[in-house]
Amino acid sequence: MEYSPKRMQNTLNENDFQLKKKFGQNFIIDENIINNIIEKSKVDSDTLVIEIGPGAGSLTYKLALIAKQVLCYEIDTTLKSVLEENLSGLNNIDIIYQDFLEADVLSDLKKYIYKKVYVVANLPYYITTPIIMKLINDKIPVDKIVVMVQKEVGDRFKAKPGSKDYNSLTVFLNCYFEVSKLMDVSRNVFLPKPNVDSIIVEFRKKEQEIAVKNKEVFFKLVKDSFVQKRKNIRNNLKNYPLDKIEKVLARHNMDLNVRAEVLPLDIFIEMANEIGE
Protein backbone atom coordinates (compact mmCIF):
# COMPACT_ATOMS: atom_id res chain seq x y z
CA MET A 1 0.00 0.00 0.00
CA GLU A 2 1.32 3.50 -0.86
CA TYR A 3 2.63 5.48 2.09
CA SER A 4 0.79 8.54 3.37
CA PRO A 5 1.13 10.52 6.63
CA LYS A 6 -2.51 9.78 7.41
CA ARG A 7 -1.97 6.04 7.01
CA MET A 8 1.11 6.20 9.25
CA GLN A 9 -0.84 7.90 12.03
CA ASN A 10 -3.74 5.46 11.64
CA THR A 11 -1.36 2.51 11.98
CA LEU A 12 0.09 3.97 15.19
CA ASN A 13 -3.43 4.33 16.61
CA GLU A 14 -4.55 0.87 15.49
CA ASN A 15 -1.55 -0.68 17.24
CA ASP A 16 -2.11 1.39 20.39
CA PHE A 17 1.42 2.70 20.08
CA GLN A 18 2.54 5.17 22.73
CA LEU A 19 5.30 7.60 21.81
CA LYS A 20 8.23 7.35 24.21
CA LYS A 21 10.02 10.50 25.28
CA LYS A 22 13.01 8.50 26.55
CA PHE A 23 13.80 7.48 22.95
CA GLY A 24 13.38 11.00 21.59
CA GLN A 25 10.57 9.88 19.29
CA ASN A 26 9.36 12.62 16.93
CA PHE A 27 7.98 11.08 13.74
CA ILE A 28 7.86 12.97 10.42
CA ILE A 29 4.28 13.50 9.22
CA ASP A 30 4.92 15.86 6.30
CA GLU A 31 5.37 14.01 3.00
CA ASN A 32 7.00 17.00 1.31
CA ILE A 33 9.82 16.95 3.86
CA ILE A 34 10.30 13.22 3.33
CA ASN A 35 10.49 13.71 -0.44
CA ASN A 36 12.98 16.55 0.02
CA ILE A 37 15.24 14.37 2.16
CA ILE A 38 15.13 11.61 -0.46
CA GLU A 39 15.88 14.03 -3.29
CA LYS A 40 18.74 15.82 -1.51
CA SER A 41 20.36 12.60 -0.29
CA LYS A 42 20.71 11.41 -3.91
CA VAL A 43 20.20 7.77 -2.96
CA ASP A 44 20.11 5.44 -5.98
CA SER A 45 19.91 1.75 -6.88
CA ASP A 46 23.59 1.21 -5.98
CA THR A 47 23.17 2.56 -2.45
CA LEU A 48 22.89 0.66 0.80
CA VAL A 49 21.17 3.03 3.23
CA ILE A 50 21.60 2.82 6.98
CA GLU A 51 18.67 4.39 8.78
CA ILE A 52 18.94 4.92 12.52
CA GLY A 53 15.57 5.12 14.24
CA PRO A 54 13.03 4.42 11.46
CA GLY A 55 10.15 5.19 13.81
CA ALA A 56 6.92 4.36 12.00
CA GLY A 57 8.73 3.87 8.69
CA SER A 58 7.67 7.01 6.82
CA LEU A 59 11.18 7.79 5.56
CA THR A 60 12.07 4.10 5.32
CA TYR A 61 9.28 3.40 2.86
CA LYS A 62 10.38 6.10 0.43
CA LEU A 63 14.06 5.14 0.76
CA ALA A 64 13.28 1.50 -0.08
CA LEU A 65 11.58 2.52 -3.34
CA ILE A 66 14.91 3.90 -4.60
CA ALA A 67 17.78 2.27 -2.70
CA LYS A 68 19.32 -1.14 -3.27
CA GLN A 69 18.95 -1.99 0.42
CA VAL A 70 17.78 -0.25 3.59
CA LEU A 71 19.28 -1.45 6.87
CA CYS A 72 17.47 -0.02 9.89
CA TYR A 73 18.36 0.03 13.57
CA GLU A 74 15.41 0.52 15.92
CA ILE A 75 15.75 0.46 19.70
CA ASP A 76 11.99 0.36 20.38
CA THR A 77 10.72 -3.20 19.91
CA THR A 78 7.11 -2.10 20.40
CA LEU A 79 7.28 -0.54 16.92
CA LYS A 80 7.64 -3.97 15.29
CA SER A 81 3.97 -4.43 14.37
CA VAL A 82 3.73 -0.82 13.13
CA LEU A 83 6.78 -1.21 10.89
CA GLU A 84 5.65 -4.59 9.57
CA GLU A 85 2.32 -3.10 8.53
CA ASN A 86 3.68 0.17 7.09
CA LEU A 87 6.51 -1.52 5.17
CA SER A 88 4.67 -4.60 3.94
CA GLY A 89 5.40 -5.60 0.37
CA LEU A 90 8.95 -4.22 0.36
CA ASN A 91 11.63 -6.92 0.34
CA ASN A 92 14.77 -4.75 0.50
CA ILE A 93 14.40 -3.62 4.11
CA ASP A 94 16.06 -5.28 7.11
CA ILE A 95 15.32 -4.01 10.61
CA ILE A 96 17.60 -4.85 13.52
CA TYR A 97 15.90 -4.16 16.84
CA GLN A 98 18.93 -2.98 18.74
CA ASP A 99 20.48 0.19 20.10
CA PHE A 100 22.61 1.47 17.21
CA LEU A 101 25.30 2.59 19.66
CA GLU A 102 25.78 -1.04 20.71
CA ALA A 103 25.51 -2.60 17.24
CA ASP A 104 28.38 -4.25 15.36
CA VAL A 105 27.59 -2.44 12.13
CA LEU A 106 30.69 -3.65 10.27
CA SER A 107 29.64 -7.23 10.88
CA ASP A 108 26.06 -6.50 9.82
CA LEU A 109 27.23 -4.96 6.54
CA LYS A 110 29.09 -8.12 5.53
CA LYS A 111 25.78 -9.70 4.51
CA TYR A 112 25.24 -7.25 1.67
CA ILE A 113 26.68 -6.37 -1.73
CA TYR A 114 26.71 -2.64 -2.47
CA LYS A 115 28.72 0.11 -4.15
CA LYS A 116 28.25 2.83 -1.54
CA VAL A 117 26.85 3.35 1.93
CA TYR A 118 24.79 6.36 2.96
CA VAL A 119 23.33 7.11 6.37
CA VAL A 120 19.95 8.82 5.96
CA ALA A 121 17.96 9.41 9.12
CA ASN A 122 15.88 11.60 11.36
CA LEU A 123 18.15 11.31 14.38
CA PRO A 124 16.92 11.39 17.98
CA TYR A 125 18.07 14.73 19.35
CA TYR A 126 19.57 13.37 22.56
CA ILE A 127 22.08 10.99 20.92
CA THR A 128 22.92 12.78 17.68
CA THR A 129 26.58 13.42 18.52
CA PRO A 130 27.30 9.89 19.89
CA ILE A 131 25.83 8.41 16.68
CA ILE A 132 28.06 10.57 14.45
CA MET A 133 31.12 9.75 16.57
CA LYS A 134 30.34 6.02 16.40
CA LEU A 135 30.27 6.18 12.61
CA ILE A 136 33.75 7.73 12.74
CA ASN A 137 35.30 5.69 15.54
CA ASP A 138 34.02 2.32 14.29
CA LYS A 139 35.38 3.13 10.81
CA ILE A 140 32.03 2.35 9.20
CA PRO A 141 32.57 2.80 5.43
CA VAL A 142 30.07 5.62 5.01
CA ASP A 143 30.34 7.74 1.87
CA LYS A 144 27.75 10.28 2.91
CA ILE A 145 25.51 11.13 5.85
CA VAL A 146 22.25 13.05 5.47
CA VAL A 147 20.53 13.57 8.79
CA MET A 148 17.84 15.70 10.32
CA VAL A 149 18.99 17.04 13.68
CA GLN A 150 18.07 19.71 16.18
CA LYS A 151 18.89 23.12 14.65
CA GLU A 152 21.23 24.10 17.48
CA VAL A 153 23.22 20.88 17.03
CA GLY A 154 23.27 21.21 13.25
CA ASP A 155 24.56 24.77 13.53
CA ARG A 156 27.55 23.47 15.52
CA PHE A 157 28.20 20.72 12.98
CA LYS A 158 28.44 23.15 10.08
CA ALA A 159 29.96 26.12 11.92
CA LYS A 160 32.86 28.09 10.46
CA PRO A 161 35.88 29.44 12.37
CA GLY A 162 35.01 32.68 14.13
CA SER A 163 31.34 31.88 14.67
CA LYS A 164 29.79 31.33 18.10
CA ASP A 165 28.83 27.74 17.22
CA TYR A 166 32.36 26.65 16.25
CA ASN A 167 33.77 24.16 18.79
CA SER A 168 35.95 21.06 19.17
CA LEU A 169 33.25 18.81 17.66
CA THR A 170 33.18 21.02 14.57
CA VAL A 171 36.93 20.56 14.16
CA PHE A 172 36.69 16.78 14.65
CA LEU A 173 33.97 16.48 12.02
CA ASN A 174 35.93 18.63 9.57
CA CYS A 175 38.73 16.07 9.75
CA TYR A 176 36.55 13.51 8.01
CA PHE A 177 33.71 15.31 6.24
CA GLU A 178 32.70 18.34 4.24
CA VAL A 179 29.70 19.54 6.25
CA SER A 180 26.89 21.66 4.81
CA LYS A 181 23.27 22.58 5.48
CA LEU A 182 20.69 21.26 3.04
CA MET A 183 17.54 22.83 4.46
CA ASP A 184 15.70 24.09 7.54
CA VAL A 185 12.77 22.11 8.92
CA SER A 186 9.91 23.49 11.00
CA ARG A 187 8.93 21.82 14.27
CA ASN A 188 5.39 21.60 12.85
CA VAL A 189 6.17 18.60 10.61
CA PHE A 190 6.63 16.18 13.53
CA LEU A 191 4.40 14.05 15.71
CA PRO A 192 4.56 15.06 18.53
CA LYS A 193 5.71 18.60 17.85
CA PRO A 194 9.09 19.21 19.53
CA ASN A 195 10.05 22.47 21.21
CA VAL A 196 12.76 23.26 18.66
CA ASP A 197 13.18 23.52 14.90
CA SER A 198 15.40 21.15 12.96
CA ILE A 199 17.95 21.27 10.18
CA ILE A 200 19.02 18.72 7.56
CA VAL A 201 22.80 18.45 7.39
CA GLU A 202 24.97 16.62 4.88
CA PHE A 203 28.35 15.10 5.74
CA ARG A 204 30.29 14.21 2.60
CA LYS A 205 33.32 12.00 3.19
CA LYS A 206 36.66 13.64 2.42
CA GLU A 207 38.79 11.81 -0.11
CA GLN A 208 42.00 12.15 1.92
CA GLU A 209 42.59 11.64 5.63
CA ILE A 210 43.99 14.47 7.71
CA ALA A 211 47.79 14.71 7.58
CA VAL A 212 48.52 14.42 11.29
CA LYS A 213 51.57 12.62 12.65
CA ASN A 214 49.86 11.55 15.88
CA LYS A 215 46.04 11.48 15.98
CA GLU A 216 45.95 11.04 19.74
CA VAL A 217 47.98 14.23 20.22
CA PHE A 218 45.85 16.07 17.67
CA PHE A 219 42.46 15.19 19.17
CA LYS A 220 43.63 15.95 22.72
CA LEU A 221 45.06 19.30 21.60
CA VAL A 222 41.78 20.28 19.93
CA LYS A 223 39.70 19.25 22.93
CA ASP A 224 41.97 21.12 25.35
CA SER A 225 41.99 24.23 23.16
CA PHE A 226 38.23 24.61 23.68
CA VAL A 227 38.06 23.48 27.32
CA GLN A 228 37.25 27.05 28.42
CA LYS A 229 35.92 28.70 25.31
CA ARG A 230 36.31 32.30 26.49
CA LYS A 231 39.98 31.81 27.36
CA ASN A 232 42.82 32.13 24.89
CA ILE A 233 45.24 29.49 23.65
CA ARG A 234 47.89 30.58 26.17
CA ASN A 235 45.58 29.71 29.07
CA ASN A 236 43.89 26.62 27.67
CA LEU A 237 47.16 25.05 26.50
CA LYS A 238 49.39 26.17 29.37
CA ASN A 239 50.57 22.58 29.92
CA TYR A 240 51.76 22.29 26.31
CA PRO A 241 55.08 23.51 24.83
CA LEU A 242 53.85 27.04 24.16
CA ASP A 243 57.03 28.02 22.31
CA LYS A 244 56.23 25.48 19.58
CA ILE A 245 52.59 26.50 19.42
CA GLU A 246 53.59 30.17 19.26
CA LYS A 247 55.89 29.41 16.33
CA VAL A 248 52.98 27.90 14.36
CA LEU A 249 50.63 30.76 15.17
CA ALA A 250 53.26 33.33 14.14
CA ARG A 251 53.35 31.79 10.66
CA HIS A 252 49.69 32.81 10.36
CA ASN A 253 50.16 36.29 11.88
CA MET A 254 48.61 35.20 15.19
CA ASP A 255 49.86 34.88 18.76
CA LEU A 256 49.01 33.01 21.96
CA ASN A 257 46.25 35.48 22.82
CA VAL A 258 44.07 34.07 20.06
CA ARG A 259 41.03 31.96 20.95
CA ALA A 260 40.49 28.45 19.61
CA GLU A 261 37.18 29.44 18.03
CA VAL A 262 38.95 31.40 15.27
CA LEU A 263 41.47 28.68 14.33
CA PRO A 264 40.70 26.59 11.22
CA LEU A 265 41.44 22.89 10.94
CA ASP A 266 44.78 23.31 9.16
CA ILE A 267 46.27 25.37 12.01
CA PHE A 268 45.25 22.76 14.59
CA ILE A 269 46.95 20.15 12.40
CA GLU A 270 50.13 22.24 12.22
CA MET A 271 50.15 22.78 15.99
CA ALA A 272 49.68 19.07 16.68
CA ASN A 273 52.40 18.10 14.22
CA GLU A 274 54.79 20.65 15.72
CA ILE A 275 54.43 19.37 19.29
CA GLY A 276 54.08 15.75 18.24
CA GLU A 277 57.51 15.55 16.64
Side-chain angles (χ1 to χ4, degrees), residues 89-108:
L90 295 167
N91 59 10
N92 61 337
I93 302 172
D94 287 331
I95 302 174
I96 297 175
Y97 289 93
Q98 182 182 14
D99 183 348
F100 177 77
L101 296 179
E102 298 177 1
D104 185 350
V105 181
L106 288 175
S107 179
D108 295 335

Side-chain angles (χ1 to χ4, degrees), residues 51-110:
E51 185 185 8
I52 302 150
S58 54
L59 179 59
T60 320
Y61 184 96
K62 292 290 183 105
L63 285 168
L65 296 178
I66 301 170
K68 180 179 180 65
Q69 182 72 40
V70 183
L71 173 61
C72 303
Y73 291 87
E74 176 55 62
I75 194 171
D76 188 356
T77 56
T78 65
L79 276 166
K80 192 169 184 178
S81 57
V82 173
L83 286 166
E84 284 178 352
E85 185 170 339
N86 282 344
L87 304 176
S88 61
L90 295 167
N91 59 10
N92 61 337
I93 302 172
D94 287 331
I95 302 174
I96 297 175
Y97 289 93
Q98 182 182 14
D99 183 348
F100 177 77
L101 296 179
E102 298 177 1
D104 185 350
V105 181
L106 288 175
S107 179
D108 295 335
L109 287 174
K110 289 178 181 177

